[in-house]
Amino acid sequence: MSASSNSSKIKFGTDGWRGIIADDFTFPNVRKVTRAIASYLETAYTKDRPVLVAYDTRFLADQFARTAAEVLADLGWTVKITDRDCPTPVIAYNARHLNSAGALMFTASHNPAPYCGIKYIPDYAGPATPEITDTIVANIEAADDSPPSSSRDSQISTFDPKLDYLQFIYTLLDVERIRSAHLKVKYDALYSTSRGYLDTVLEHCGCELESFHTYRDVLFGGGMPEPKGEQLVGLVEVVKQDRADLGLATDGDSDRFGIVDEKGNVLSPNTVLLLLARHLIKNKGKSGAIVRTVATTHLLDNFAAKYGLEIYETPVGFKYIGEKMRETTVLIGGEESGGLSVIGHIPEKDGILADMLVAEAIAYEGKPLSQLVEEAIAEADGPLYNKRLDLHLNDAHKAAVMASFTQKPPTEIAGIKVKEVGRKDGVKLYLEEGSWVLLRPSGTEPLIRVYLETNSPEKQTQIATQMEQLIDRLEPVAV
């Protein structure tokens, strides 16, 4: 076994393993993880089903993918590798559509350019469950990291996953309704895998389109492949300047969405979830449960109650939402970090479809997007005000904070009584008046994330201030 391999650094998070290229994300470690995945495949599938391999636009991602394909072929699997970089929802759809043994996707999603990652997507087209990833992780230590013993290129072929995915997406959209609206759309690909996909769908739907950054840049233009405010400054400007109906973007592997309204406001994922839940019910006559993570807005709960729908709260990670989508009929499932899926779609987040559903909502209503947002929030008895604090703490401080809040949670925060404590994922304090606070430690970074939601900006500030003070006081004292 090669000395360059370091299996102790290989840790699977909420969505696969990610690492820094040439540090821990190396070719030997890719071979090791691929063999660990293959050991799982041996127990779950027969070798008459192909394994799919795909990759995003990152540096060396295509070469890492080819390496994995060669390892799989050497182990006797037939491998189909995408002919270019590919969105995660697209390879996930094809994993089911092609009756595969699942797919390996090389991506670090919205992480900075130095990172790459690998995740396994089973044949049900959603994130691997903890049981599957635990099995893969258990296989890593014994897995070999050496190059394949033989070349079996005849068992590796390339394929284009695009056409079948697009044909499926069109069945989920009212294409003619969008065409009739003649929407003016600005699209920033952020150098991501959605180029050639989202712009193709927009043009197919008759939108007047201007696109930006629709080429591969492994440094993502010096920014982050994340469709948040600081990355969308240029998109905001062109939307306002040209009076477009909306601006659209995706993250690096296109499973997260970015939406800008006609006034240049970047919509939060919480807002988009609310908007689309209303659209699916009101305009498309759909029904089903609403599923959200512990960190996602409770306005969705109000909306579910208003329409008599089930509401489910899951731990953070779309794999839990995907699992619920496979168990019951889900109208919409999503998370505050920017991922969602809807009824009739695969149990995987899809930024391309999310973007198009927002365009469809405008087409149905014939109103500006900002007005649709106001109406959706009002119907859910909002607004509520959300905030996330990323508090950088050393491991000892982090452990002390979580132990204190777990064992003896506060009875009130900012003068608001705690009426219930949830421990589904981290510690969640359900306060009176519909407010809540969630503490969740990062599994990969020395920080604690504090999420909160309340009914006024003043209370938001008071809760955030008190939480920071409480956490600061809990720092372990050095002896």
Side-chain angles (χ1 to χ4, degrees), residues 230-281:
E230 55 269 30
Q231 308 300 329
L232 299 179
V233 173
L235 182 61
V236 166
E237 286 304 311
V238 295
V239 166
K240 292 193 295 185
Q241 179 181 316
D242 290 355
R243 298 184 179 180
D245 293 295
L246 77 165
L248 300 174
T250 67
D251 72 338
D253 67 329
S254 310
D255 63 355
R256 301 187 187 202
F257 54 85
I259 315 284
V260 177
D261 73 12
E262 83 288 352
K263 294 181 178 180
N265 300 308
V266 180
L267 304 190
S268 74
N270 282 325
T271 298
V272 174
L273 282 167
L274 202 66
L275 173 78
L276 292 184
R278 180 174 184 261
H279 167 59
L280 291 169
I281 295 170

Side-chain angles (χ1 to χ4, degrees), residues 445-476:
E445 300 174 83
L447 60 82
I448 283 179
R449 292 192 169 93
V450 179
Y451 305 81
L452 62 95
E453 183 171 71
T454 190
N455 57 13
S456 77
E458 293 76 21
K459 287 181 186 174
Q460 181 191 62
T461 300
Q462 291 165 4
I463 292 171
T465 300
Q466 183 166 358
M467 288 302 298
E468 289 191 79
Q469 290 171 348
L470 285 172
I471 289 169
D472 189 53
R473 288 186 205 131
L474 291 168
E475 183 171 4

Side-chain angles (χ1 to χ4, degrees), residues 49-50 52 80 89-100 102 122-125 159-168 346:
R49 299 173 71 168
L52 311 185
K80 297 169 73 72
V90 173
I91 197 63
Y93 171 75
N94 277 272
R96 185 176 70 184
H97 176 68
L98 295 176
N99 190 34
S100 75
D123 64 334
Y124 55 70
F159 79 109
D160 182 357
K162 182 176 177 179
L163 182 59
D164 289 335
Y165 168 82
L166 291 183
Q167 287 179 338
F168 175 66
I346 57 174

